[in-house]
Structures are given as C-alpha cells and as structure tokens.
Amino acid sequence: MDYRDWEILKVLYSQKNLTKAARLLFITQPALTNRLKQMQEELGVKIVTRESRGIHFTPEGEYLVRCADDILAQFNKIKDHVRNMRNHSGNEVAGILKLGVSNFFANYELPHILKLFKGQYPNVDFKVITGWSKDVTKLIHNKDVHIGFVRGDYSPRGLQKFLLLEETVSVTSREEIDLVDLPKLPRIDYSGDFLLKTLIDNWWAENYIQPPFISIEVDQVDTCKKMVLNGLGYGIIPSRMLMDTEGLYKIDLTDQNGNPILRRTWMYYHKESLEWNVVKAFVHFIETLGYSLNYPGN
C-alpha cells in the first residue's frame, strides 16, 4: 500500500459511498473500485462490503482507517522535514512553517502577520492549526507545530518564549455601572480559555461574597460582546476584543493593590527549531514586530 491508498481509505470511510468518494478523490468510480480490490488482494482481507445504502467497513477495514491517520501524519511530517532540510545549510528562507495558534490570535492578529512575513519571504508556506490555548500549548510541547501563539500564562517547561502583548480585562456594559452593583446586575457569560475563566473567577471571589447573576450564556466572546452592545447585560471581556468598538462603558479589573490584571499573549518554540532557517526567520520577524502588536491602534 502506498500513500495514496491511505488517503483513499480515509475519504471512503468518511463518505461510505463509492461515487462520492471517487468524486472527492478526482478519480473514476471504476478506478476506485479496482484499487480497492487490489488493496484487499494485497492484504488478503476484505476491507469493505457493499450494501444497499452504500458500503460497510469490516473490522479489518476499520483498523486500517485508524492506522491511516497516523501513517499520513507521519508521512507529512517527514515531507515537511525534508523540505526544510533542503534550505538548512544555505541562506534561503523557504519551506513549510507549522503554527499552532489560539482562536482569538488566529482571527484578529495572524492574517496581518502572515501577510507581512510572506511579503519578505514569498517561498514560505504555512500550515495553521487553531484551538484553545491549552491545546495549542500541547501541540508545541509535542513538536506537532514549530511555533505556538498562546493567550495566558501556561508557561510550558522546556520551551523558549517571547511576550507578544499584554492586555487588560474589563467589565464592559452599554450603560455606566458601579462595580458594587455587579452581583445584582445581569451578566453575559461565555465559554472561554481555562486561564481566562480562572482569572475572572479569582477576581470575583476576591471582591464579592455572592455569585454572579448569569442571565445569558453563550459559547463565544464575540457573541457576548454583541449581547452587551445590545444592552442585555454586562460582560467581562479582554480589552483587545473591545478595540474599535464604540459606545461601551469599561472598567479594567485590578488586584487588591490597585494594579491592573493583565492577560498576556506568548510565542513559544523549541530552541533546537532555530536550526531551520524558516523558523529562525519567523521568530526574529515576530520579535522585531512585537512592539507594534502592543500598540493600541493595531
């Protein structure tokens, strides 16, 4: 079996239909059927059975599909590594750069950064994986990506880090409110990163004995902001989410000493990754760009 065969198994398993799978694979159905027959003969097992509603994977077929993910991932890792090795000893910055990026950073900061970097290094391609910051931290720790952009102070051990920006966290509302009244005012709550939720919960516990009055729960901070803009309650939102948003009353969270409570965004990478020109160039680019990321107008 070759690389293409594993791709065929994955697509076929997702579609459970030969015609649809062939269309996605850009081959004819007879060609797909023939290749599937060859795989079964090579392995000496039946991979699928045909039924009235499509195809059904046998236990052996199910096992092969599970193997496909690992095999394809390993193949891509080897391919990326070889492409980067080509430029390792020279000065050319080219190859594939794999980035793990928190959802917010991917939506609001990364496109502009990649545009600027691509302008300087047009021969660099990107693979971007987005997710919660805790998941991105695992990706960079396991070397599934070259560089990670993480919001919050996760501080994984053994990694190099660079502080990209700091932001305050604000109680935000449509109308002016007093912090003393928060426990009895409706709050728009949202699913957020674990460290952000912990930061907000700790601040609340230090200032109030009553739990917050959660009137609406949503899954995204963007949705929370829209609810606040429509006067449905207040939200506790990182200040970077509020840039270029007018008509909101904001009070920054502070600790018991009156110091602003800050949420930080970091770049993480393994030191040995700097051996590759593409990683070294990108890290240097971000370090020189860092000052502008903290500029409020960005």
Side-chain angles (χ1 to χ4, degrees):
M1 292 179 64
D2 58 25
Y3 174 81
R4 183 61 166 167
D5 292 333
W6 296 108
E7 282 190 323
I8 287 172
L9 287 178
K10 281 196 65 176
V11 173
L12 192 57
Y13 187 77
S14 68
Q15 299 301 313
K16 302 291 195 305
N17 182 283
L18 285 167
T19 302
K20 292 180 180 178
R23 188 182 303 121
L24 290 174
L25 291 163
F26 299 101
I27 59 177
T28 64
Q29 182 177 328
L32 175 57
T33 302
N34 184 57
R35 186 55 206 154
L36 189 59
K37 180 181 177 182
Q38 291 175 8
M39 279 190 271
Q40 294 182 142
E41 291 175 351
E42 179 183 344
L43 295 170
V45 298
K46 203 165 188 62
I47 298 175
V48 300
T49 59
R50 294 198 183 197
E51 299 178 354
S52 59
R53 294 186 178 180
I55 60 171
H56 175 76
F57 274 71
T58 65
E60 294 86 353
E62 295 269 359
Y63 172 74
L64 289 171
V65 170
R66 290 196 298 271
C67 293
D69 286 325
D70 293 335
I71 291 171
L72 292 173
Q74 182 65 16
F75 179 84
N76 286 327
K77 184 178 291 187
I78 292 170
K79 184 172 65 175
D80 294 345
H81 193 76
V82 169
R83 285 187 63 182
N84 287 331
M85 284 179 66
R86 181 183 60 193
N87 306 296
H88 174 51
S89 58
N91 295 319
E92 182 186 6
V93 177
I96 297 176
L97 187 63
K98 292 184 288 187
L99 305 175
V101 189
S102 70
N103 292 316
F104 172 85
F105 199 87
N107 290 331
Y108 291 90
E109 308 288 352
L110 188 65
H112 179 64
I113 290 173
L114 295 191
K115 177 184 176 181
L116 294 177
F117 186 78
K118 192 79 172 176
Q120 293 186 30
Y121 303 103
N123 295 321
V124 175
D125 297 319
F126 299 95
K127 288 186 177 179
V128 180
I129 302 175
T130 62
W132 294 112
S133 288
K134 63 180 177 62
D135 297 324
V136 173
T137 302
K138 292 178 183 177
L139 288 174
I140 182 62
H141 182 77
N142 295 333
K143 298 185 179 180
D144 292 321
V145 296
H146 297 123
I147 295 170
F149 292 105
V150 174
R151 299 183 88 204
D153 297 316
Y154 282 89
S155 300
R157 290 178 292 181
L159 295 178
Q160 303 295 306
K161 64 180 183 179
F162 178 77
L163 180 61
L164 286 173
L165 56 91
E166 295 179 322
E167 60 184 319
T168 57
V169 180
S170 305
V171 173
T172 309
S173 61
R174 184 72 179 176
E175 306 295 336
E176 183 173 346
I177 57 177
D178 193 319
L179 291 183
V180 175
D181 299 325
L182 280 194
K184 61 185 179 182
L185 297 177
R187 175 164 139 188
I188 316 298
D189 208 13
Y190 56 92
S191 301
D193 182 77
F194 171 75
L195 286 189
L196 175 60
K197 178 174 173 52
T198 301
L199 180 152
I200 294 172
D201 288 346
N202 288 342
W203 174 82
W204 187 276
E206 289 177 352
N207 290 276
Y208 306 101
I209 58 173
Q210 309 101 309
F213 167 37
I214 307 296
S215 62
I216 301 177
E217 294 186 42
V218 297
D219 61 345
Q220 298 288 337
V221 64
D222 275 317
T223 308
C224 172
K225 184 174 73 171
K226 291 175 183 176
M227 297 285 187
V228 173
L229 279 166
N230 280 277
L232 296 171
Y234 74 90
I236 303 181
I237 302 174
S239 60
R240 207 144 183 98
M241 288 294 306
L242 303 173
M243 292 189 305
D244 302 323
T245 302
E246 299 180 353
L248 288 179
Y249 178 73
K250 292 169 281 189
I251 307 174
D252 290 341
L253 303 190
T254 59
D255 62 22
Q256 296 297 304
N257 297 318
N259 301 312
I261 294 176
L262 298 175
R263 178 163 166 78
R264 299 176 178 89
T265 299
W266 299 89
M267 174 176 68
Y268 291 122
Y269 59 93
H270 289 273
K271 186 176 182 179
E272 58 268 28
S273 297
L274 296 179
E275 295 176 1
W276 310 116
N277 289 341
V278 64
V279 177
K280 184 177 180 180
F282 192 78
V283 168
H284 177 71
F285 174 81
I286 293 296
E287 289 176 347
T288 57
L289 187 70
Y291 76 93
S292 64
L293 286 173
N294 274 301
Y295 182 71
N298 266 343

